[in-house]
């Protein structure tokens, strides 16, 4: 029987580790390269350390891309559905907990426990070699395969999987080195951008609210077109806005210019109802100032900021309407992302035009596969990015098995 060739996987994040485990289960020898001194560094930080490992309701609508079709993303996700992933976790001995909103966590509520299971499975395999603290500096096609070059030397492999992640969160090892390897091979790269990230806003009123957290509605617009709407937590900071609602809408900011964010401070109130309540309060308590009246609806810090920035005569109906309109439609001009150093993930990456979504194999290079966050696919918050990492690794591993064991 012909000897099964070793597969090199570059990157020991979620997609690289999962791909390695699957290939090892098929009897395919693996060499896993990781530039950090430990594997799964970013995985440890997911879900604030709890590891939001998947989402029960994952489908193509939870992802943004400019080069993959929704059908292609859906086919990747369906190949390794949540049900399939859950059965795999059960087999590995990882118990899962499903929240009401569909988010999935390990029963242990610990990313470290997941990584320990993954790591033990890899280390216990006789066909596994792990090369830590080694960055692959160059990837070249040679006759019959690929040459991997690092500071420690060079090795030739007939099959390579790029699972290098993105430049998001460099303090956890994020970088664009994987994309550089792909770019040097002539693959098209969609310009990357920070995603699931806080936003910079230039607004004296917003800066005055630093430290206040509210539930608000955010609407992102360009000209007269609505790009996205989100209802969620907004945390005001000295540089702009953060919070889960802001992270959710940040994926749509991308590299766009001339954007306007509309902030609704009181999403549970209709404008007319709010107007009527303020009119009645002003009539009932004519000596109460604007801060006092607004403090019954808003955080006192917000009430004070609006009172100081808005001249209001309680007897002037027009001014009252203007105040309510501002509370419901406060404009934040030209929001920009905080940058990759603060981003949880990155959008953009290797174009879908370069990849066969049925195998994750490069269309230009036989036996070169690309998975996970390196691709031009970014998911919403809530476990969707890990879901895609695992699904793309699953598709890749099955395709390699079909080739190696045919």
């Amino acid at each position: 029987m012909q000897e099964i060739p070793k597969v090199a996987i570059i990157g020991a994040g979620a997609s690289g580790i999962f791909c390695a485990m699957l290939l090892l289960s098929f009897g395919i020898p693996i060499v896993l390269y990781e530039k950090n001194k430990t594997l799964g560094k970013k995985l440890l930080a997911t879900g604030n350390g709890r590891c939001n490992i998947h989402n029960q309701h994952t489908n193509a609508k939870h992802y943004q891309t400019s080069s993959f079709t929704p059908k292609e993303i859906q086919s990747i996700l369906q190949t390794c559905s949540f049900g399939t992933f859950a059965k795999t976790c059960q087999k590995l001995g990882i118990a899962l907990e499903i929240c009401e909103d569909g988010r999935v966590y390990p029963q242990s509520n610990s990313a470290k426990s997941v990584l320990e299971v993954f790591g033990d499975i890899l280390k216990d395999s006789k066909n596994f070699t792990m090369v830590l603290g080694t960055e692959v500096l160059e990837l070249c096609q040679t006759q019959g395969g690929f040459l991997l070059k690092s500071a420690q030397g060079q090795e030739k492999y007939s099959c390579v999987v790029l699972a290098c992640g993105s430049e998001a969160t460099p303090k956890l090892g994020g970088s664009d080195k994987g994309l550089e390897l792909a770019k040097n091979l002539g693959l098209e790269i969609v310009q990357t951008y920070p995603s699931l990230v806080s936003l910079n806003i230039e607004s004296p009123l917003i800066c005055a609210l630093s430290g206040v957290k509210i539930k608000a509605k955010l609407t992102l617009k360009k000209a007269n077109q609505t790009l996205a709407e989100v209802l969620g937590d907004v945390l005001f900071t000295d540089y702009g806005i953060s919070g889960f609602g802001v992270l959710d809408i940040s994926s749509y900011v991308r590299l766009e210019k001339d954007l306007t964010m509309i902030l609704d401070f009181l999403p549970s109130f209709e404008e007319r109802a709010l107007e009527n309540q303020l009119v009645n309060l002003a009539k009932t308590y004519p000596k109460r100032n604007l801060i006092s009246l607004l403090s019954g609806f808003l955080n006192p810090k917000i009430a004070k900021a609006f009172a100081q920035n808005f001249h209001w005569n309680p007897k002037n109906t027009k001014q009252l309407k203007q105040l309510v309109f501002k509370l419901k439609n406060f404009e934040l001009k030209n929001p920009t992302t905080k940058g990759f150093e603060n981003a949880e993930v990155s959008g953009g990456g290797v174009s879908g035009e370069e990849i066969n979504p049925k195998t994750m194999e490069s269309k230009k290079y036989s036996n070169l596969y690309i998975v996970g966050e390196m691709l031009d696919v970014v998911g919403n918050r809530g476990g969707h990015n890990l879901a895609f990492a695992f699904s793309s690794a699953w598709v890749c591993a099955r395709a390699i098995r079909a080739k190696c064991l045919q």
Side-chain angles (χ1 to χ4, degrees):
M1 182 178 177
Q2 186 177 358
E3 183 181 356
I4 300 174
K6 289 183 179 179
V7 173
I9 299 177
I10 306 175
S15 60
I17 292 171
F18 199 61
C19 189
M21 289 194 304
L22 291 169
L23 289 173
L24 288 168
S25 72
F26 301 148
I28 298 172
I30 297 297
V31 181
L32 180 60
Y33 288 85
E34 171 55 48
K35 65 184 181 66
N36 292 317
K37 294 181 179 180
T38 57
L39 54 79
K41 202 170 179 181
K42 285 180 76 173
L43 185 63
L44 284 174
T46 59
N48 290 322
R50 291 180 59 206
C51 194
N52 184 185
I53 198 169
H54 213 286
N55 194 296
Q56 189 181 27
H57 306 310
T58 289
N59 59 57
K61 72 178 183 181
H62 295 114
Y63 297 86
Q64 289 87 53
T65 176
S66 62
S67 58
F68 285 86
T69 67
K71 186 177 180 181
E72 288 172 338
I73 293 177
Q74 190 65 28
S75 72
I76 294 169
L77 295 171
Q78 285 179 339
T79 303
C80 180
S81 65
F82 170 66
T84 301
F85 178 78
K87 288 179 182 178
T88 302
C89 286
Q90 184 179 29
K91 185 178 179 181
L92 297 175
I94 299 174
L96 301 178
E97 179 183 4
I98 305 173
C99 300
E100 288 185 6
D101 62 0
R103 296 173 196 229
V104 181
Y105 294 87
Q107 190 72 45
S108 64
N109 261 324
S110 169
K112 187 176 180 181
S113 69
V114 173
L115 193 58
E116 284 187 0
V117 172
F118 285 175
D120 285 345
I121 290 169
L122 293 176
K123 293 169 188 174
D124 288 344
S125 174
K126 64 180 180 179
N127 292 322
F128 177 69
T129 303
M130 185 157 54
V131 186
L132 295 173
T134 301
E135 183 172 30
V136 176
L137 303 173
E138 192 175 346
L139 178 64
C140 308
Q141 187 181 37
T142 62
Q143 186 175 4
F146 300 89
L147 193 65
L148 273 65
K149 298 181 181 180
S150 70
Q152 286 73 32
Q154 60 185 38
E155 293 287 340
K156 183 179 178 182
Y157 297 91
S158 60
C159 181
V160 172
V161 179
L162 290 177
C164 309
S166 72
E167 60 261 63
T169 323
K171 64 184 178 182
L172 296 178
S175 78
D176 62 354
K177 296 301 182 183
L179 293 180
E180 285 185 12
L181 295 177
K183 187 176 181 180
N184 290 337
L185 287 170
L187 302 186
E188 180 187 351
I189 308 297
V190 176
Q191 187 172 1
T192 58
Y193 58 89
S195 186
L196 301 188
V197 64
S198 302
L199 298 176
N200 295 309
I201 301 288
E202 292 186 11
S203 168
L205 186 143
I206 294 300
C207 290
L209 303 181
S210 182
V212 175
K213 183 179 180 181
I214 65 171
K215 186 173 184 178
K217 181 182 176 183
L218 295 167
T219 304
L220 186 66
K221 290 190 172 186
K222 184 168 187 177
N224 294 321
Q225 181 185 4
T226 297
L227 302 181
E229 285 187 348
V230 168
L231 179 66
D233 292 339
V234 174
L235 173 65
F236 299 101
T237 69
D238 56 359
Y239 58 79
I241 52 177
S242 187
F244 290 147
V246 175
L247 299 186
D248 288 339
I249 207 166
S250 67
S251 298
Y252 300 91
V253 174
R254 301 182 187 178
L255 303 170
E256 297 275 1
K257 295 182 179 179
D258 301 319
L259 297 174
T260 299
M261 186 81 76
I262 308 297
L263 175 59
D264 182 351
F265 282 89
L266 293 167
S268 61
F269 284 86
E270 296 291 336
E271 281 190 37
R272 179 60 64 86
L274 186 57
E275 286 176 17
N276 291 338
Q277 288 205 41
L278 287 173
V279 167
N280 291 334
L281 285 170
K283 287 179 179 179
T284 306
Y285 305 100
K287 292 184 179 181
R288 286 174 66 180
N289 60 26
L290 185 55
I291 296 177
S292 176
L293 291 175
L294 292 180
S295 291
F297 300 86
L298 299 161
N299 180 288
K301 204 169 183 179
I302 300 175
K304 183 179 180 181
F306 267 92
Q308 291 176 341
N309 286 273
F310 195 89
H311 179 69
W312 180 52
N313 179 348
K315 296 180 181 180
N316 189 318
T317 304
K318 185 177 180 180
Q319 285 187 356
L320 175 63
K321 288 180 178 293
Q322 290 174 343
L323 171 62
V324 171
F325 183 82
K326 283 282 188 183
L327 288 170
K328 297 287 292 178
N329 301 274
F330 193 80
E331 289 193 358
L332 305 172
K333 295 289 188 180
N334 301 313
T336 58
T337 60
K338 258 308 243 180
F340 287 112
E341 63 275 12
N342 298 289
E344 293 185 14
V345 291
S346 168
V350 176
S351 171
E353 298 292 331
E354 299 284 0
I355 302 296
N356 179 349
K358 294 181 179 180
T359 60
M360 310 313 296
E361 187 175 21
S362 164
K363 292 178 180 178
K364 290 179 180 174
Y365 298 94
S366 179
N367 295 323
L368 175 66
Y369 299 81
I370 305 175
V371 295
E373 203 178 337
M374 274 192 68
L375 296 166
D376 175 31
V377 178
V378 62
N380 296 341
R381 190 175 53 85
H384 298 290
N385 285 292
L386 277 180
F388 183 79
F390 296 135
S391 293
S392 59
W394 183 281
V395 172
C396 169
R398 285 165 59 96
I400 293 174
R401 178 184 67 171
K403 272 195 175 185
C404 290
L405 303 181
Q406 62 185 0

